[in-house]
Amino acid sequence: MFGFLKADPAKKLRKTYDQKSTEAMLAQRKGDIKTYSMLTAEAEELWKEIQQLKAVDK
């Protein structure tokens, strides 16, 4: 009945994904390739979770 009040977990993950991607881009610009690699890997894992959540919703 009040499903519209529930928070969307994919939305929260997407926000975190966007933050990680931005941090990774900034690290790459600074020349910190190790941090860039770690942040990119974390962002990819978040993206997989987002895709799984969207697949379940369909």
Side-chain angles (χ1 to χ4, degrees), residues 15-31:
K15 186 175 180 180
T16 306
Y17 169 79
D18 290 340
Q19 289 174 342
K20 291 286 184 186
S21 296
T22 302
E23 289 175 17
M25 182 226 9
L26 293 173
Q28 184 182 27
R29 284 185 177 178
K30 290 180 183 178

Side-chain angles (χ1 to χ4, degrees), residues 2 9 24 28 32 36-37 40 45-48 52 54 56 58:
F2 291 103
Q28 184 182 27
D32 190 357
Y36 165 75
S37 299
T40 302
E45 290 298 319
L46 287 171
W47 185 253
K48 288 178 186 176
Q52 289 175 351
K54 288 189 178 189
V56 170
K58 289 184 178 180

Side-chain angles (χ1 to χ4, degrees), residues 1-6:
M1 181 170 158
F2 291 103
F4 65 92
L5 294 175
K6 291 183 181 178

Side-chain angles (χ1 to χ4, degrees), residues 3-4 7 11-13 16 24 29 31 33 38-39 45 53 55:
F4 65 92
K11 187 175 180 181
K12 184 177 180 182
L13 284 175
T16 306
R29 284 185 177 178
I33 302 304
M38 291 187 324
L39 290 171
E45 290 298 319
L53 286 173

